[in-house]
Amino acid sequence: MSTISVPLNSKLEQSLDYLVKSGVADNRAAVMRKALARLEEEEAVFALLKAEQEIREGKVFRGDLRKLLKRVK
């Protein structure tokens, strides 16, 4: 496991401390790990919603991948 240092402004530092005090996590590092996990989940949901939108808009390829590649080349 690696350690990184991230500068925080006073508002973010207060938020971080509040989250620890309110029991969201045991310490600052755990809050940050949870925040990164949530961000990953959010990005995955966004990618899924974007893919669904592209399907609705017909921006997808359907069919045999080999045939599609020949058409693109």
Side-chain angles (χ1 to χ4, degrees):
M1 184 180 304
S2 66
T3 301
I4 62 170
S5 176
V6 179
L8 299 175
N9 64 34
S10 61
K11 185 173 190 272
L12 289 174
E13 190 172 1
Q14 288 173 0
S15 295
L16 187 59
D17 289 337
Y18 173 78
L19 292 168
V20 173
K21 287 177 187 173
S22 65
V24 169
D26 293 333
N27 54 51
R28 288 174 155 198
V31 171
M32 296 304 293
R33 284 190 289 274
K34 278 187 162 195
L36 287 171
R38 288 262 175 100
L39 179 59
E40 286 178 338
E41 291 173 4
E42 185 179 296
E43 290 297 318
V45 169
F46 177 75
L48 178 62
L49 293 173
K50 183 178 176 185
E52 288 177 341
Q53 180 66 34
E54 289 175 355
I55 289 170
R56 282 192 296 275
E57 293 173 357
K59 296 180 180 178
V60 295
F61 291 107
R62 296 181 191 265
D64 186 305
L65 184 57
R66 290 182 193 101
K67 290 179 183 176
L68 289 169
L69 284 173
K70 287 178 184 177
R71 290 175 58 190
V72 173
K73 289 181 181 180

